[in-house]
Amino acid sequence: MSKDSDKPTTRPSNFTIPAQPRRGIDAVHVNAAREMVQLHTRGRAPPATRQPLPPLQGSSRSHAPVASEQSKAPISKPKVSIPSNHDGECKNPQCQHCGSIIIPAPQSSFPVQDKPSIKVNDWEIYTIKKPILSSAELDHLGDTKFEFPLPEMIFGNNFVRIKYTGGSSRNQEHEIWFNSIDALDTLEDDCHLKVSYHEEWLQSRQNRRKKQERGGDAKTSTHADDEMSGKVSDLTDMDAVKPYDWTYSPNYVGHTRGFNFVADESLEIPVNRLMNPDPILFFDEMILYEDELADNGISMLSIKIRVMPTCLLLLCRFFLRIDNVIFRIRDCRIFIDFESNEVIREYKLQECDYDEVLKLAASGGGSGGKVNNDPKRLLRDQNWVSLNIPVVNRTIEKCIVE
């Protein structure tokens, strides 16, 4: 290596740096993004206030309407509308062509006012979702209505309401509604279920009491033992509180007014109609209450509702999982035919031992396939559990509103 190799080199006068590739967003992409923003904004506006979009400068696309013989043909509109008797300004405009409800972008307000609603023929459907009850509201419920510890999370202001306003009995109220307070009213007075380590904890507590009665030195319990016994005592110790169903398993089919249901075991909910590719005019879901059972599982009551042009389906589901003990599902389904005004209500109870469901999940979920490294993944899937545990009891009723 030469001595001059360490000396800085100088560039010749005719040396030029090669041009770097230009970085940035192409003008075509910018115009496309602007068009998408305008289309999105225009789609959120009510049909009466929409204005035709001017073509963007430099855009190769045209928004001018194309007239055709097919577009001039009359379009049949379903009898779908938004109730005129709700409070405040209507925030759910309809499409003038298909009648479907256009859900606007979420808006924040205080107090929370989230009232999506829809009317199909003579049926009005309302859903309201609000925040979890505050500590003051929970204390008020405990002082005035319930004598047992309430679930950890109660959405007491959430509810679903279905109302029939037509027919020859317009002066008579026909309503079905679901809410958490009415559901908690249906709890049984006691519960025979115990958590998995209840017997172990109970035996250890009895041994300590025997040693103390004999005057012996009771062995000091560890922190883990104290924590475990504390959790179990919160659920199973009935000395301080009135016995209650600590699993919060309701016997709940909703509250009705004006509907005279008649049992008919030959009925079935028309699943084939629900599987038709009809447009979904409205959908909503909510939780009514939830509790983790002192880290021993989960207890949850939830609702889903789906409205189509010709029918409606509501599912109120209670899901219970007590680790190493049991699975329990209680489903109430409401099916309404908007054309015949027939209402079908099905109530189904399902139960199975925890170990049996765990074996089925570990074997591939009943399909013969292998699952991933989390064999308990399926145990958290309510739909999978409902399809794989036996039905203990089922009742089905119908009512035709006139």
Side-chain angles (χ1 to χ4, degrees):
M1 191 175 193
S2 63
K3 297 180 180 179
D4 297 333
S5 61
D6 295 336
K7 296 181 180 180
T9 59
T10 58
R11 296 172 181 174
S13 58
N14 59 350
F15 179 82
T16 58
I17 300 176
Q20 297 293 329
R22 184 179 179 182
R23 296 182 180 179
I25 303 177
D26 195 350
V28 175
H29 296 164
V30 173
N31 287 333
R34 289 175 179 171
E35 289 179 1
M36 292 301 297
V37 171
Q38 288 189 1
L39 289 174
H40 178 76
T41 305
R42 181 171 176 264
R44 295 295 187 182
T49 61
R50 294 181 186 173
Q51 300 295 333
L53 290 177
L56 290 172
Q57 183 178 2
S59 172
S60 60
R61 303 182 186 180
S62 175
H63 296 283
V66 179
S68 63
E69 295 297 331
Q70 186 177 3
S71 62
K72 296 179 181 179
I75 300 175
S76 59
K77 300 180 181 179
K79 191 178 179 182
V80 181
S81 63
I82 298 173
S84 58
N85 59 349
H86 62 71
D87 299 332
E89 180 184 358
C90 176
K91 296 183 179 180
N92 294 84
Q94 283 181 250
C95 176
Q96 291 182 340
H97 299 287
C98 64
S100 61
I101 300 301
I102 301 173
I103 305 298
Q107 296 181 358
S108 300
S109 60
F110 186 83
V112 177
Q113 295 180 354
D114 186 10
K115 300 181 180 180
S117 57
I118 184 174
K119 179 177 180 181
V120 181
N121 294 344
D122 296 322
W123 294 89
E124 295 179 354
I125 299 95
Y126 301 92
T127 65
I128 289 184
K129 292 190 294 185
K130 292 189 176 182
I132 191 173
L133 292 185
S134 63
S135 58
E137 291 172 320
L138 290 175
D139 292 341
H140 177 73
L141 281 177
D143 294 338
T144 60
K145 191 171 183 62
F146 299 109
E147 299 180 358
F148 54 84
L150 295 174
E152 296 173 348
M153 294 181 289
I154 301 180
F155 296 85
N157 296 316
N158 290 4
F159 71 85
V160 175
R161 179 186 177 206
I162 304 172
K163 183 178 181 181
Y164 178 73
T165 60
S168 59
S169 56
R170 292 179 180 269
N171 296 329
Q172 182 181 0
E173 292 184 348
H174 292 81
E175 293 182 335
I176 305 174
W177 65 85
F178 291 81
N179 62 78
S180 59
I181 307 303
D182 288 343
L184 290 172
D185 262 339
T186 65
L187 298 182
E188 297 178 359
D189 294 335
D190 201 353
C191 178
H192 67 280
L193 295 174
K194 305 297 181 183
V195 293
S196 59
Y197 49 80
H198 169 255
E199 296 298 334
E200 177 184 353
W201 167 81
L202 187 62
Q203 185 65 34
S204 64
R205 187 176 68 169
Q206 291 175 349
N207 292 337
R208 287 201 304 268
R209 285 183 177 177
K210 290 180 180 179
K211 289 182 179 180
Q212 292 175 357
E213 291 174 358
R214 293 196 302 264
D217 295 334
K219 185 178 179 180
T220 305
S221 60
T222 64
H223 177 72
D225 293 337
D226 293 340
E227 183 178 1
M228 181 179 69
S229 62
K231 290 181 178 180
V232 180
S233 61
D234 290 341
L235 298 175
T236 59
D237 191 358
M238 299 303 177
D239 297 335
V241 298
K242 181 181 177 180
Y244 72 102
D245 183 1
W246 60 272
T247 66
Y248 303 108
S249 302
N251 302 288
Y252 191 48
V253 295
H255 191 82
T256 62
R257 179 183 300 166
F259 292 93
N260 298 318
F261 286 99
V262 178
D264 187 350
E265 298 300 328
S266 63
L267 278 176
E268 293 287 345
I269 291 181
V271 181
N272 57 334
R273 292 186 58 182
L274 300 174
M275 297 178 65
N276 290 337
D278 295 334
I280 298 178
L281 304 178
F282 179 78
F283 173 83
D284 205 353
E285 60 181 338
M286 65 182 68
I287 297 176
L288 296 184
Y289 64 75
E290 182 178 351
D291 195 287
E292 294 184 354
L293 307 177
D295 296 331
N296 287 280
I298 189 171
S299 172
M300 177 189 296
L301 182 66
S302 60
I303 291 183
K304 291 183 180 180
I305 184 170
R306 179 173 51 156
V307 181
M308 290 151 289
T310 60
C311 59
L312 168 154
L313 179 66
L314 179 145
L315 170 62
C316 180
R317 166 169 290 177
F318 172 75
F319 179 80
L320 173 69
R321 186 195 78 242
I322 305 178
D323 294 335
N324 303 316
V325 180
I326 197 173
F327 277 89
R328 174 184 292 166
I329 292 181
R330 296 180 177 179
D331 285 346
C332 177
R333 288 178 171 87
I334 303 289
F335 175 84
I336 299 178
D337 189 327
F338 294 142
E339 298 175 350
S340 64
N341 293 329
E342 181 183 42
V343 183
I344 299 177
R345 180 171 65 182
E346 180 191 54
Y347 186 56
K348 186 164 58 176
L349 283 69
Q350 299 174 262
E351 284 190 9
C352 190
D353 290 339
Y354 182 93
D355 292 338
E356 296 296 326
V357 183
L358 181 59
K359 290 178 183 178
L360 185 61
S363 63
S367 60
K370 295 183 179 180
V371 296
N372 56 13
N373 295 329
D374 184 8
K376 295 186 178 181
R377 173 181 58 87
L378 294 175
L379 305 185
R380 298 187 290 269
D381 187 343
Q382 297 186 15
N383 293 326
W384 180 87
V385 174
S386 67
L387 294 173
N388 288 277
I389 65 175
V391 177
V392 178
N393 190 20
R394 173 182 176 270
T395 58
I396 190 164
E397 308 165 295
K398 76 172 182 178
C399 173
I400 298 179
V401 185
E402 299 178 350

